[in-house]
Amino acid sequence: MKVVVAGKGGVGKTTLCAGLGLYLAEQGRQPYLVDADPNACLGYALGWPPEALADLRPLSELREVLSERARGAEAAGGLFSLSPPVTDLIADYTLTRDGVRLLMMGTVTEGGKGCLCPENATLKAILRELVELENDLVVDMCAGLEHLGRGTAAALHGLVIVTDPSATALRSVGRIQRLAEDLKLEPMVVVANRITAPAEVEQIAQAVAPLPVVGTLSSHPGLQAEGVFSGPAGAALREEIARLAPAIEAAVG
């Protein structure tokens, strides 16, 4: 499984990524989870202790390191390489715990928009390198699909768009779909989250058509913001994601 998970902020995509990672780890598959969202909350959603995450900075914050890598020996005259070597960066900045490998990538932006700059060139090279590994890969990405070029998108197995029944979340599905189509990222499927009644599933299915709704997750009041799978509500959600994971993999993985 090599998938990108995207959606409007707050719809539960980070929770789904964490749950998929834990499911894959339980299968002995040692997945890579990439936190490419500016909020960088994936490690906390996994329930990893703050002290384990304290020294794990998003790579996007290491702008000098990223820029120097892209401006290496191959680049000259103010130019930079679009394919800098990054294997050592992946090894140095990946945290492994309980069978899950976490890389906090973050996002480099200029003026609120993605930039064609040495820093982003290095981040995109890191993602390309991870796609080529044999490990499963789950990427928690913001709605703008930052870091994805056509070549990387074509090598991925697909896109999972998470939405809840709210109008703003459903509008984001359409925007993400158009971006993914431009990148030739397919197949695309939808996961309906925070469902409280069957009518909400039908509402979402009609709004996102012709994209298929591959599965649903219930609303679980009482979830923790950090260590989301702790407590009864978190345990129930984790079981739901484990049951949903094979359907996602069959559809896009």
Side-chain angles (χ1 to χ4, degrees):
M1 180 191 296
K2 296 181 186 293
V3 297
V4 169
V5 181
K8 175 187 172 293
V11 296
K13 64 184 178 61
T14 296
T15 298
L16 178 60
C17 287
L20 289 175
L22 293 172
Y23 166 80
L24 293 168
E26 287 177 348
Q27 309 304 307
R29 293 164 60 168
Q30 298 186 328
Y32 270 96
L33 298 184
V34 175
D35 194 340
D37 190 300
N39 291 327
C41 295
L42 188 50
Y44 296 102
L46 287 163
W48 293 1
E51 57 270 22
L53 299 168
D55 296 327
L56 191 64
R57 295 176 59 193
L59 279 167
S60 59
E61 294 182 1
L62 308 175
R63 298 193 66 157
E64 290 187 8
V65 173
L66 299 176
S67 181
E68 288 174 3
R69 185 57 57 95
R71 297 183 188 279
E74 297 180 1
L79 302 177
F80 58 87
S81 172
L82 297 178
S83 300
V86 295
T87 302
D88 60 320
L89 290 177
I90 293 173
D92 291 344
Y93 291 95
T94 295
L95 179 63
T96 302
R97 188 180 181 90
D98 301 327
V100 175
R101 303 179 183 190
L102 173 64
L103 181 67
M104 293 174 63
M105 181 176 287
T107 300
V108 174
T109 59
E110 295 288 349
K113 298 181 180 179
C115 64
L116 179 59
C117 59
E119 297 93 325
N120 261 336
T122 303
L123 292 178
K124 289 182 178 181
I126 289 170
L127 190 54
R128 286 197 302 271
E129 181 95 358
L130 291 170
V131 169
E132 293 174 0
L133 296 178
E134 293 184 357
N135 303 71
D136 293 283
L137 174 66
V138 179
V139 184
D140 180 6
M141 189 167 286
C142 57
L145 301 184
E146 303 290 347
H147 309 314
L148 282 182
R150 282 200 174 195
T152 306
L156 287 160
H157 293 170
L159 170 66
V160 179
I161 306 175
V162 183
T163 186
D164 60 28
S166 68
T168 54
L170 290 171
R171 282 195 293 269
S172 292
V173 173
R175 290 194 292 269
I176 295 167
Q177 179 185 4
R178 289 189 290 274
L179 288 171
E181 288 172 344
D182 289 342
L183 292 166
K184 307 300 183 184
L185 176 55
E186 55 184 16
M188 288 179 266
V189 298
V190 173
V191 169
N193 191 26
R194 301 198 182 104
I195 299 302
T196 61
E200 293 176 333
V201 180
E202 181 61 26
Q203 171 196 351
I204 290 173
Q206 291 180 1
V208 304
L211 296 182
V213 177
V214 73
T216 65
L217 296 171
S218 305
S219 177
H220 293 275
L223 290 178
Q224 303 295 318
E226 299 181 3
V228 67
F229 299 112
S230 62
L237 176 58
R238 181 170 176 175
E239 289 181 4
E240 278 195 14
I241 294 175
R243 290 194 296 269
L244 175 60
I248 292 175
E249 185 159 23
V252 301

